[in-house]
Amino acid sequence: MNTRDTGYTTAQYGGVSVLVGAKQGAYPYGNSLLVRGATASLVVDPSLSLVEAAPHADVVLVSHAHEDHIAGLGSYEVPVHIHEGDLEALRSRDALVAGFGLPPEAVDGVDLAMRDEFHVHGRPDAAGFEDGTVFDLGGRTVTVVHLPGHTAGHSGFLIEPDGFLFVGDIDLTSFGPYYGDVGSSLVDFEASMRRCREIDAQWYGTSHQKGVVEGAGEFRRQLDAYVDVVAKREAALLAFLHEPRTVEEIVDHRWVYRPHVVGPQVRPVERRTAVQHLDRLRSAGLVAEVEQGRFRAT
């Protein structure tokens, strides 16, 4: 790994350069990719580290429309592509902030943070791609792998012939899967994790602290632990419902964020996460509404 005086470090995996953000890519930083072919080069997910030191690229791909993945986008006046499911959120900061599902009184403050801290101004020129879209760089290809759930358009990228699969925010961290936005889906996230498991690659790149995992076996081991966070959340919720609880009581208990975490996103994310699990447990007959607005394990 070579350290450069540019706010990131560079690690090479075949023809793929991983631009590792500060604090090993922990939020609000992130890991970007630089992929060079014989005729063109592209950057994936320009992070905060690329605001002042962006490498040249002919095209930019964005895995999904979250601020930490687009903070460095202003450094590029080249074509920008994202999955159709996240296209409006990339084109408009208003649409991006609306996707967080915040209480009205918090919207203006978060909008200012997107502008001032993450340099998000919207890219109305952005174009959409679909699952399976191929970007040919000359002797090296980047193929879109749609992995929804985190957001509707969240996507990974398979880079060949290197055998490098970028899985974005299926990031293998102990925090676990995040499916708390308005457009998030637990069901889709689980399907996306299963899809990742079926793809054989030499290297698996993540957006945050875990960095790059070598070998399909090790990736699947870490992915299984990541998947298990979902099961643990659900089991804990079921145990919590040994007596009737309202949704607000469930939210207060916290299933995603640790107690010390504060911010306008906390309660909305906790609520959307809890409701998705609650709906699934009710559909399975494991939880019932025993009185209006109160739920209990059966």
Side-chain angles (χ1 to χ4, degrees):
M1 180 177 287
N2 298 316
T3 302
R4 303 175 56 198
D5 187 23
T6 55
Y8 59 81
T9 56
T10 302
Q12 202 69 29
Y13 299 87
V16 179
S17 299
V18 178
L19 312 181
V20 183
K23 299 181 180 179
Q24 295 183 298
Y27 183 89
Y29 304 100
N31 302 325
S32 306
L33 303 183
L34 173 62
V35 187
R36 293 190 176 99
T39 58
S41 61
L42 65 76
V43 160
V44 174
D45 284 0
S47 70
L48 276 171
S49 297
L50 273 60
V51 171
E52 300 294 338
H56 169 78
D58 300 294
V59 63
V60 174
L61 305 185
V62 178
S63 65
H64 64 290
H66 274 166
E67 67 279 5
D68 50 322
H69 299 262
I70 60 175
L73 198 53
S75 301
Y76 292 99
E77 296 182 2
V78 299
V80 177
H81 301 265
I82 193 170
H83 190 275
E84 294 281 355
D86 280 12
L87 184 56
E88 287 308 311
L90 184 60
R91 286 177 170 174
S92 162
R93 190 173 72 235
D94 287 345
L96 184 147
V97 173
F100 299 150
L102 300 169
E105 65 273 14
V107 169
D108 288 347
V110 171
D111 182 66
L112 286 175
M114 294 299 101
R115 185 193 71 185
D116 297 342
E117 297 175 28
F118 290 94
H119 316 284
V120 176
H121 298 284
R123 285 296 293 253
D125 60 315
F129 54 57
E130 299 177 347
D131 184 48
T133 298
V134 178
F135 295 85
D136 190 341
L137 306 178
R140 182 162 282 111
T141 59
V142 181
T143 302
V144 174
V145 182
H146 187 208
L147 300 170
H150 182 63
T151 67
H154 181 269
S155 297
F157 303 102
L158 180 62
I159 303 161
E160 297 287 10
D162 308 279
F164 189 106
L165 178 64
F166 182 70
V167 295
D169 271 3
I170 301 178
D171 58 19
L172 309 180
T173 61
S174 59
F175 181 87
Y178 174 98
Y179 36 92
D181 281 4
V182 172
S184 299
S185 166
L186 169 57
V187 172
D188 287 348
F189 206 127
E190 290 178 320
S192 293
M193 291 188 289
R194 289 193 296 271
R195 186 177 186 188
C196 285
R197 204 178 195 285
E198 294 168 359
I199 299 175
D200 287 321
Q202 183 173 358
W203 296 294
Y204 299 80
T206 71
S207 291
H208 297 292
Q209 297 98 308
K210 289 291 184 178
V212 177
V213 177
E214 184 169 2
E218 178 59 20
F219 172 74
R220 288 165 184 154
R221 185 189 70 78
Q222 294 193 35
L223 182 63
D224 287 345
Y226 188 69
V227 170
D228 195 46
V229 173
V230 176
K232 288 177 178 177
R233 287 174 184 163
E234 199 150 277
L237 175 58
L238 194 58
F240 184 65
L241 294 174
H242 69 281
E243 61 182 69
R245 312 277 190 178
T246 66
V247 171
E248 290 309 305
E249 288 173 325
I250 294 170
V251 170
D252 288 340
H253 194 71
R254 293 219 178 182
W255 310 95
V256 179
Y257 294 107
R258 294 178 179 176
H260 71 274
V261 177
V262 297
Q265 84 285 0
V266 171
R267 291 193 67 82
V269 168
E270 291 287 349
R271 182 176 292 105
R272 283 188 290 269
T273 300
V275 166
Q276 289 182 77
H277 283 281
L278 186 61
D279 287 346
R280 183 155 71 179
L281 290 168
R282 293 176 71 191
S283 295
L286 298 174
V287 166
E289 188 172 12
V290 294
E291 53 188 279
Q292 187 172 5
R294 296 179 72 85
F295 303 90
R296 184 174 183 171
T298 57

